[in-house]
């Protein structure tokens, strides 16, 4: 148990659906992250939030929309995804944005049909 | 950030020490070496980090060469549960924060 909880663990959606991934951390951390891991590829950083402010957006398509309502919660809203967006989506948190010790959730395995 | 080079895969017998190498010949003076591992279908897990001195914690030991151009992660008594992909990452602390850039890592298989 890392203190970072992601729901759902698995998600299957059609290309016209709208869904959201949720991440919650119980560690009192101030920075939260979304990573994407496609099959047989390294993790790719998508978004970074520090104190609820987005500080990084790594050229992610607009069909992925993050939201950080408070320092404990992070969402990734999904709409009109493509089959190539199927991947493991991982949430992580750290004490501060400048801290390299990240705590990861178990991820949401997303399949887009 | 300095680039790292790791062997794509390694095997280790259960109960023996697993020594995972990492080359980072272009490392700068302010860059730390971090190790994470990722067990199948889970998120990465922090293991250990160091600057220039050897480090040890309850999970592993980190040996950094004197010139800091390479390091070795040591799991002293590998178990089947240590089977995972191990990532060596070099990153300057307080430089653009927790933007860890993961490479391909080393896939360690611990065999009975």
């Amino acid at each position: 148990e890392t203190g970072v909880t992601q729901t759902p663990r698995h998600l299957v959606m059609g290309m016209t659906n709208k869904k959201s991934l949720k991440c919650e951390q119980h560690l009192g951390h101030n920075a939260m992250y979304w990573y994407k891991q496609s099959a047989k590829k390294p993790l790719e950083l998508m978004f970074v939030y520090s104190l609820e402010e987005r500080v990084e957006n790594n050229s992610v398509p607009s069909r992925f929309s993050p939201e950080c309502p408070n320092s404990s919660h992070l969402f990734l809203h999904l709409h009109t995804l493509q089959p190539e967006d199927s991947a493991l989506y991982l949430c992580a948190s750290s004490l501060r944005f400048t801290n390299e010790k990240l705590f990861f959730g178990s991820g949401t395995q997303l399949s887009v049909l | 950030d300095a680039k790292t080079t790791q062997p794509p895969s390694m095997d280790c017998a259960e109960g023996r020490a697993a020594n995972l190498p990492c080359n980072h010949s272009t490392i700068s003076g302010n860059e730390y070496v971090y190790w994470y591992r990722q067990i199948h279908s889970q998120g990465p897990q922090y293991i250990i980090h160091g600057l220039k001195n050897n480090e040890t914690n309850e999970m592993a030991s980190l040996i950094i060469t004197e010139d800091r151009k390479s390091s070795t992660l040591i799991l002293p008594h590998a178990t089947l549960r240590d089977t995972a992909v191990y990532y060596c990452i070099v990153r300057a602390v307080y430089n653009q924060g927790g933007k860890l850039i993961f490479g391909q890592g080393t896939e360690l298989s611990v065999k009975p």
Side-chain angles (χ1 to χ4, degrees), chain A residues 35 37 56 97 100-102 104, chain B residues 34 36 38 44 97-98 100:
Chain A
Y35 280 84
Q37 187 172 33
E56 184 82 17
F97 176 46
E100 269 68 31
K101 188 173 179 179
L102 301 185
F104 283 83
Chain B
Y34 280 75
Y36 280 73
Q38 186 175 22
L100 290 177

Side-chain angles (χ1 to χ4, degrees), chain B residues 36-47:
Chain B
Y36 280 73
R37 73 179 183 183
Q38 186 175 22
I39 295 170
H40 182 62
S41 297
Q42 296 184 21
Q45 175 190 24
Y46 166 84
I47 301 173

Side-chain angles (χ1 to χ4, degrees), chain A residues 3-53:
Chain A
V4 180
T5 303
Q6 290 188 244
T7 54
R9 285 285 281 128
H10 298 89
L11 177 63
V12 179
M13 60 185 290
M15 290 190 286
T16 59
N17 292 158
K18 290 184 179 181
K19 297 287 185 183
S20 295
L21 310 184
K22 179 182 177 181
C23 176
E24 183 175 3
Q25 56 97 359
H26 309 277
L27 302 169
H29 288 171
N30 289 319
M32 298 188 77
Y33 312 77
W34 280 116
Y35 280 84
K36 173 185 177 182
Q37 187 172 33
S38 303
K40 303 297 183 183
K41 291 185 178 180
L43 280 79
E44 302 171 53
L45 180 64
M46 299 176 73
F47 301 104
V48 181
Y49 277 83
S50 177
L51 296 172
E52 302 147 45
E53 178 182 344

